[in-house]
């Protein structure tokens, strides 16, 4: 075999090996809990913190926003948590989310089926806390309005299903589509029995807007790094880059067995 042919075959093998390694790396990244997402979901940068501070007075003020009305069944401190799952479950997942946050959508897309499976089995309960980080960073009111609509869905006993619909249909981060009540009501049509006059009035009146503001204030004072923040029995597991749905499921099942 000529030297040229040997070099050609060696180069082809090297390209194939490199491509295989790229595919393996991509698969590892896909399976990890930390997924690629927009930096605006993180409070770590000084510039972002500055924007949040600049907007906090406008976004979080409860002046003239009406009384704080917690959604039905909300619990925890100041009734700021929306519970999903059986109260008797031994494990609790605490999730701080923003319906406009791409990283939150990535988390939900990766872990949704596992979380629902564990909830249905009575092994896991989830407490959702709603934040409006993207409104503060990017401007607009989609985070708040979507959170209010989700709270209205909780009043109707449809929070979990509507929560999933909002993430499945999340607009681009720079598109404040969720600021439009008509869009939020249209999406309610994807949840059986949710689009009712009572739900529409709750959305259009912003019944839970002040509650959402209070929830976001709790998020800001909590010292969290950004959304989503995911705590399993009090431990932040979102920062664990080795976390996968299978590993999380094993952790819940081990806790359930005591």
């Amino acid at each position: 075999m000529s030297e040229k042919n040997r070099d050609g075959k060696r180069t082809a093998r090297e390209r194939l090996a490199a491509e295989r390694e790229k595919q393996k790396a991509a698969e590892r990244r896909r399976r990890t809990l930390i997924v690629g997402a927009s930096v605006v979901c993180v409070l770590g940068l000084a510039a972002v913190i500055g924007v949040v501070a600049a907007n906090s007075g406008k976004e979080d003020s409860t002046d003239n926003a009406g009384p704080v009305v917690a959604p039905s069944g909300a619990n925890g401190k100041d009734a700021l948590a929306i519970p999903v799952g059986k109260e008797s479950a031994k494990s609790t997942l605490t999730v701080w989310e923003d319906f406009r946050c791409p990283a939150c959508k990535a988390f939900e897309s990766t872990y949704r089926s596992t979380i629902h499976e564990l909830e249905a089995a009575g092994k896991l309960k989830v407490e959702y806390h709603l934040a409006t980080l993207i409104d503060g960073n990017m401007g607009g009111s989609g985070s708040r309005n979507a959170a209010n609509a989700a709270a209205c869905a909780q009043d109707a006993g449809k929070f979990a299903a509507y929560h999933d619909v909002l993430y499945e249909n999340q607009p681009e981060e720079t598109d404040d589509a969720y600021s439009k009540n008509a869009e939020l009501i249209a999406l309610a049509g994807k949840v059986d029995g949710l689009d009712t006059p009572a739900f529409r009035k709750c959305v259009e009146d912003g019944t839970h807007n002040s509650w959402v503001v209070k929830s976001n204030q709790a998020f800001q004072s909590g010292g969290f790094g950004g959304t989503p923040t995911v705590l399993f029995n009090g431990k932040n597991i979102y920062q664990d880059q080795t976390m996968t749905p299978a590993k999380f499921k094993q952790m819940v099942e081990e806790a359930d067995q005591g």
Side-chain angles (χ1 to χ4, degrees), residues 57-132:
K58 290 179 278 187
E59 198 60 48
D60 285 346
S61 174
T62 55
D63 294 342
N64 303 316
V68 175
V69 180
S72 176
N75 62 18
K77 183 179 179 182
D78 296 327
L80 295 178
I82 296 179
V84 178
K86 297 179 181 178
E87 181 60 33
S88 60
K90 293 183 179 179
S91 291
T92 301
L93 193 69
T94 303
V95 182
W96 291 84
E97 290 184 318
D98 181 331
F99 286 112
R100 287 180 70 185
C101 169
C104 299
K105 178 179 180 177
F107 167 75
E108 288 294 337
S109 297
T110 302
Y111 285 83
R112 180 182 297 117
S113 61
T114 301
I115 289 173
H116 286 339
E117 176 187 346
L118 293 168
E119 288 171 343
K123 298 177 181 180
L124 178 71
K125 57 180 177 288
V126 184
E127 294 182 347
Y128 289 98
H129 296 259
L130 307 181
T132 60

Side-chain angles (χ1 to χ4, degrees), residues 27-234:
E27 179 63 16
R28 287 195 298 269
R29 288 195 298 271
R30 187 189 68 81
R31 292 173 56 201
T32 58
L33 177 59
I34 303 299
V35 294
S38 168
V39 71
V40 297
C41 289
V42 181
L43 292 177
L45 296 178
V48 175
I49 293 175
V51 174
V52 173
N55 284 278
S56 61
K58 290 179 278 187
E59 198 60 48
D60 285 346
S61 174
T62 55
D63 294 342
N64 303 316
V68 175
V69 180
S72 176
N75 62 18
K77 183 179 179 182
D78 296 327
L80 295 178
I82 296 179
V84 178
K86 297 179 181 178
E87 181 60 33
S88 60
K90 293 183 179 179
S91 291
T92 301
L93 193 69
T94 303
V95 182
W96 291 84
E97 290 184 318
D98 181 331
F99 286 112
R100 287 180 70 185
C101 169
C104 299
K105 178 179 180 177
F107 167 75
E108 288 294 337
S109 297
T110 302
Y111 285 83
R112 180 182 297 117
S113 61
T114 301
I115 289 173
H116 286 339
E117 176 187 346
L118 293 168
E119 288 171 343
K123 298 177 181 180
L124 178 71
K125 57 180 177 288
V126 184
E127 294 182 347
Y128 289 98
H129 296 259
L130 307 181
T132 60
L133 179 60
I134 306 302
D135 284 357
N137 290 347
M138 304 287 290
S141 60
S143 298
R144 186 202 65 186
N145 288 12
N148 172 67
C152 295
Q154 169 66 12
D155 289 338
K158 306 281 186 179
F159 171 82
Y162 189 62
H163 164 277
D164 291 352
V165 165
L166 288 174
Y167 279 116
E168 288 165 357
N169 294 273
Q170 185 188 76
E172 290 296 319
E173 175 176 38
T174 54
D175 180 1
D176 195 25
Y178 282 171
S179 66
K180 301 177 180 65
N181 290 334
E183 175 70 12
L184 297 168
I185 291 171
L187 289 175
K190 295 179 178 291
V191 178
D192 187 38
L194 179 57
D195 186 5
T196 64
F199 174 80
R200 290 186 174 216
K201 179 173 172 51
C202 183
V203 171
E204 291 167 349
D205 290 352
T207 298
H208 301 295
N209 279 353
S210 292
W211 176 83
V212 174
V213 169
K214 191 170 184 178
S215 178
N216 189 61
Q217 289 172 339
F219 169 76
Q220 290 181 332
S221 64
F224 303 118
T227 54
T229 292
V230 185
L231 310 176
F232 176 65
N233 292 336

